[in-house]
Amino acid sequence: MKKGYKWMRYIVLGATVLMSTGSMYNPAYGDDTPDTIRVAMFADLGSTYKSTTPAVTLKSNGDWSIGEGIGDEHRAWLQLSSGQAVRFSVDGFRVKVMETWDYQAAAAAAKVLQGTSDKPMIFTDSKNGGTVYQLYTGMYASAAAAQTAAARIAVSAAAQLNGQMPVATGNYHLSAGTFADEQEANRVRNDIQSVGFDAYTVLMSSGDYAVWVGEAASSGQLSSIREALAGALPEIIFMDADLSGTALIIRQDAGTVGGSAQNLRHYMLSGSDNGKVTVHGDGKGIQVIERSERTYRGDFEISKVSGQVALVNELPVDQYLYSVVGAEVYASWPDEALKAQAVAARSYALYKSNKFNIADVVDTTLSQAYNGLGSENEDVSDAVDATSGEVLMSGGEVIEAVFSANAGGATADPSEVWNGGGTVFASVDSLGDASAQEGTKMWYHVLLDNGKTGYVREDNVSEIEGVTGAGLAQMTVTADSTNVRPIPQIQSAVAAVAQMNPGDEAVVLGKVPESGSYAWVRGPFTSDQLLKSMQGKITSTLPAEIQHLDVTERGPSGRVMEVEANGQPLTVKYPDMYRSAMGSLPSTKFDISGTGSYTVLGADGQTSHISGAAGADLIFGSGKSTWSGSGMVVMNGSHEARVIDKEQRFIITGQGNGHGLGLSQWGAKGMADEGYDYKQILQHYYQNVSIVKE
């Protein structure tokens, strides 16, 4: 997450842009000033971060350029105009699926492959005096992986290939020489293509142009191409292409599917994994099509990492925070809450540099949500500017100021999240979290005549006078076809439990707030659903069937530290893993109840689980009988009621959203509403810290 140390100053000299780097002294950091931050968007960094795409498409709202970093300077290779879109990929292992004169044939094959792991891409070129369309897939990590993919595609797209056999290609090339300008290089390339060979104009880092021939996956394949060229074009001397420097192979991109071919300039980055080019704009923003067409401030670096194209956005820290804070909290919140979030987010971002090898942070919630200009807001930007340079420090270092959406009334102790301690984090009250419920509806938890249970929102309910023999209220609804929901929340993709009409009656088991950031209900989950979710997350042996689940240990804030299934602990690497292990729960501050069992505390202090399927002995004034069926209501000493069925499913109710460590965003909003300033808010949620400004 972490800090970039380069301060960029641009000097425009004709067609060349020089970027020099320096440092501005900051008392909080010594000589290293985190003026800029590097944000990875696409990269294959193994287990640390993996977000890949075959190519990235950039488009600027103003003038922009593509160039190369040389030492502390940046030299512009190409100047691009406003509105021009350019696609980038890297030179490596692909599969050439087919070559055809018919774009629709190539597009049909691409459409078949689009939903597979073999991502298609169509290039257009000239050969033998005509236009051809070349369908590729990739990238692949090795020649062997590309060969395997070629065999796979030959089967999956056989009907569209018209007898052509996919072949693995790679980054072995021959060079037909270097030339002073692109036009001269294109003339030589056309001569080579006219006799049926693949050839490409290449922009070299020197500013010269070259013509490369072939795209062999091995040196053996390259030798075969050399022999064929010697026979067809004896007047040209072909040498092995120099791949040690950074270069751009120029191609024309025809897209993947659609009614007609596109015509987009495509640059394939060639060179070692250390090779890179940078894209510099004029401050009007650069759009990344593959990131939902969002527009971003700053510059972009394109490189080759693990055989894949990597895209990194570099920009000033505060400009990064304009987007991050705008994406993390509501712009309508009080200024002091926005300032608290700005300082926490800045500290989190500047904690450790290059955590992601080529970048300080990534653009997802693995670091912080970063959506570019689209999530910026004037009030948020003002809060960032008002706290510019301010970070949270402890022991002379910037802290990793983690935060969550809602702590559910109390923040987490480190032991409840990552099995660790620490002096910066501790469980503290977070009463402002309840502000997340302001303006939300209450929901009635009801028992229907058929034994089913569900929830009806309060604005659809009319209570009936009188109570049941157990003292429970009754209700009906005010509108036809009122949905009874499985949880107290409208879920358009989840079917209703049932529908009620005016006059239909139901027993009221209780009233709960609408599920949201503060309080929530999840489920009901079957044993199979939970066991599937637990696979790979629970380190102990899973049972064949979950008969009952119990929370057996809690931490200082009430968060779950241990859960047992059928009396056996379900162990995890760290307690916060229970969130994902049990169906992607919002937090670990939860309780579990089974729809098919209930727990009885005996006179000896021991608890026992009673299964609904086994029935229950009921004692009446007139005698004793056995209950068997669905819809038995049990009530605890606090007059809280729930229904027991024959089928065991699990309802999980909880509070909070996120790991709960550090700043609670909704809690900060609640404190700001009460008049606390941002420094008081931060020092409430983080312990033993100082707020330091450069």
Side-chain angles (χ1 to χ4, degrees):
M1 297 167 199
K2 311 355 183 168
K3 53 189 175 187
Y5 298 109
K6 292 185 177 179
W7 177 49
M8 295 177 288
R9 302 189 293 269
Y10 298 99
I11 308 167
V12 180
L13 300 175
T16 300
V17 177
L18 298 178
M19 178 199 304
S20 63
T21 62
S23 66
M24 300 171 61
Y25 179 71
N26 179 337
Y29 299 92
D31 293 330
D32 292 327
T33 305
D35 295 299
T36 65
I37 190 165
R38 291 171 56 83
V39 188
M41 294 185 173
F42 293 105
D44 184 354
L45 304 177
S47 59
T48 305
Y49 177 75
K50 187 171 184 177
S51 176
T52 60
T53 182
V56 292
T57 312
L58 304 184
K59 184 178 180 180
S60 177
N61 295 323
D63 293 334
W64 52 314
S65 64
I66 304 170
E68 179 190 16
I70 302 176
D72 289 338
E73 295 183 348
H74 174 89
R75 180 169 60 86
W77 294 2
L78 296 168
Q79 299 291 339
L80 305 173
S81 58
S82 175
Q84 181 179 357
V86 177
R87 191 162 291 164
F88 296 88
S89 65
V90 295
D91 188 25
F93 298 105
R94 286 185 168 88
V95 171
K96 187 175 183 179
V97 178
M98 66 183 300
E99 180 173 293
T100 176
W101 308 104
D102 181 4
Y103 171 74
Q104 295 302 329
K111 188 173 183 179
V112 170
L113 295 168
Q114 201 164 34
T116 72
S117 59
D118 300 299
K119 301 305 180 185
M121 185 181 303
I122 302 174
F123 291 109
T124 182
D125 214 329
S126 297
K127 189 179 288 188
N128 296 321
T131 299
V132 296
Y133 299 97
Q134 299 170 330
L135 172 63
Y136 289 80
T137 61
M139 303 291 292
Y140 302 100
S142 64
Q147 289 163 359
T148 299
R152 179 172 62 241
I153 293 166
V155 176
S156 63
Q160 287 76 32
L161 299 184
N162 297 321
Q164 296 191 52
M165 288 301 296
V167 61
T169 65
N171 55 359
Y172 290 81
H173 308 284
L174 296 172
S175 174
T178 57
F179 308 91
D181 56 49
E182 185 175 0
Q183 289 73 24
E184 185 180 356
N186 285 342
R187 284 194 293 270
V188 174
R189 175 174 61 87
N190 291 337
D191 289 342
I192 297 170
Q193 289 176 322
S194 68
V195 294
F197 291 91
D198 289 319
Y200 317 101
T201 300
V202 181
L203 175 59
M204 310 297 289
S205 60
S206 62
D208 294 329
Y209 288 84
V211 174
W212 288 357
V213 185
E215 47 185 0
S218 67
S219 57
Q221 287 183 9
L222 193 65
S223 296
S224 298
I225 295 172
R226 191 195 310 268
E227 291 177 7
L229 284 166
L233 296 165
E235 68 276 15
I236 301 178
I237 298 175
F238 293 96
M239 307 291 289
D240 287 354
D242 181 7
L243 305 179
S244 60
T246 303
L248 292 175
I249 302 172
I250 304 171
R251 302 196 69 169
Q252 290 299 122
D253 197 310
T256 53
V257 296
S260 59
Q262 301 176 21
N263 186 18
L264 196 64
R265 182 60 68 98
H266 188 126
Y267 295 105
M268 293 171 56
L269 177 67
S270 175
S272 67
D273 277 5
N274 294 322
K276 60 190 71 173
V277 294
T278 54
V279 175
H280 167 60
D282 64 358
K284 296 180 180 178
I286 296 174
Q287 189 178 43
V288 182
I289 303 302
E290 288 76 16
R291 272 294 190 251
S292 302
E293 301 185 4
R294 295 173 182 142
T295 299
Y296 298 88
R297 296 175 179 267
D299 292 345
F300 283 91
E301 177 185 278
I302 299 154
S303 63
K304 181 179 180 181
V305 178
S306 300
Q308 303 284 341
V309 63
L311 183 69
V312 174
N313 182 203
E314 185 167 5
L315 72 165
V317 172
D318 280 359
Q319 291 184 14
Y320 163 75
L321 293 174
Y322 293 162
S323 175
V324 165
V325 178
E328 287 286 353
V329 295
Y330 294 101
S332 60
W333 281 6
D335 290 344
E336 298 306 304
L338 300 180
K339 291 177 186 177
Q341 180 65 50
V343 175
R346 183 181 294 109
S347 304
Y348 184 82
L350 300 182
Y351 170 78
K352 291 185 181 178
S353 62
N354 297 322
K355 182 175 181 180
F356 292 90
N357 188 22
I358 62 170
D360 307 312
V361 294
V362 298
D363 68 332
T364 71
T365 53
L366 182 60
S367 293
Q368 302 181 100
Y370 173 57
N371 300 327
L373 292 172
S375 60
E376 291 188 15
N377 175 276
E378 184 177 354
D379 290 337
V380 169
S381 298
D382 287 345
V384 172
D385 291 341
T387 61
S388 183
E390 293 187 8
V391 291
L392 293 161
M393 300 188 73
S394 181
E397 296 181 351
V398 178
I399 70 166
E400 187 178 19
V402 296
F403 49 85
S404 65
N406 194 302
T411 65
D413 183 84
S415 64
E416 298 173 303
V417 181
W418 295 315
N419 282 334
T423 60
V424 172
F425 304 105
S427 179
V428 298
D429 67 79
S430 187
L431 302 181
D433 290 327
S435 63
Q437 290 191 146
E438 292 176 1
T440 61
K441 301 289 187 182
M442 295 294 289
W443 289 65
Y444 283 72
H445 188 198
V446 299
L447 169 63
L448 305 176
D449 288 342
N450 60 8
K452 293 182 178 181
T453 62
Y455 296 85
V456 182
R457 202 170 64 185
E458 64 177 345
D459 53 347
N460 295 316
V461 170
S462 175
E463 293 194 18
I464 300 172
E465 289 187 13
V467 296
T468 67
L472 297 174
Q474 299 178 86
M475 55 77 71
T476 187
V477 295
T478 58
D480 291 336
S481 302
T482 297
N483 287 320
V484 181
R485 301 284 183 180
I487 67 172
Q489 183 181 38
I490 295 175
Q491 299 170 292
S492 57
V494 179
V497 172
Q499 289 187 330
M500 294 181 66
N501 294 300
D504 296 341
E505 296 183 2
V507 175
V508 178
L509 300 171
K511 290 176 69 175
V512 298
E514 183 166 286
S515 282
S517 186
Y518 179 69
W520 47 267
V521 178
R522 293 292 185 272
F525 299 111
T526 65
S527 170
D528 287 345
Q529 287 173 324
L530 286 176
L531 288 171
K532 183 178 180 180
S533 179
M534 291 175 184
Q535 291 288 342
K537 300 161 190 169
I538 299 297
T539 57
S540 56
T541 301
L542 293 173
E545 180 183 6
I546 300 175
Q547 297 169 346
H548 53 85
L549 281 171
D550 300 283
V551 175
T552 51
E553 184 181 348
R554 296 186 184 275
S557 74
R559 284 170 169 78
V560 171
M561 299 285 285
E562 183 183 77
V563 175
E564 288 186 356
N566 308 340
Q568 298 299 314
L570 296 171
T571 57
V572 290
K573 291 181 180 179
Y574 48 89
D576 196 57
M577 278 289 291
Y578 280 121
R579 280 201 289 159
S580 59
M582 300 187 68
S584 298
L585 302 179
S587 81
T588 57
K589 196 174 183 183
F590 62 78
D591 295 292
I592 308 169
S593 60
T595 64
S597 67
Y598 56 100
T599 305
V600 175
L601 178 63
D604 58 358
Q606 299 297 311
T607 59
S608 58
H609 293 277
I610 309 299
S611 170
D617 291 332
L618 306 178
I619 300 175
F620 300 91
S622 58
K624 178 180 177 182
S625 68
T626 299
W627 168 85
S628 178
S630 297
M632 182 177 77
V633 178
V634 296
M635 188 180 297
N636 63 17
S638 301
H639 209 70
E640 296 170 334
R642 64 186 182 90
V643 174
I644 305 301
D645 295 324
K646 283 188 174 182
E647 180 185 359
Q648 179 70 303
R649 294 179 297 168
F650 300 94
I651 303 289
I652 304 178
T653 58
Q655 299 82 43
N657 188 356
H659 50 65
L661 203 62
L663 176 77
S664 169
Q665 293 169 325
W666 276 101
K669 188 263 185 188
M671 289 185 69
D673 285 339
E674 294 180 8
Y676 291 93
D677 67 31
Y678 75 99
K679 294 183 178 181
Q680 292 171 312
I681 293 170
L682 291 167
Q683 289 175 331
H684 173 74
Y685 283 107
Y686 301 102
Q687 314 304 304
N688 306 306
V689 296
S690 299
I691 301 172
V692 179
K693 182 178 176 66
E694 64 177 48

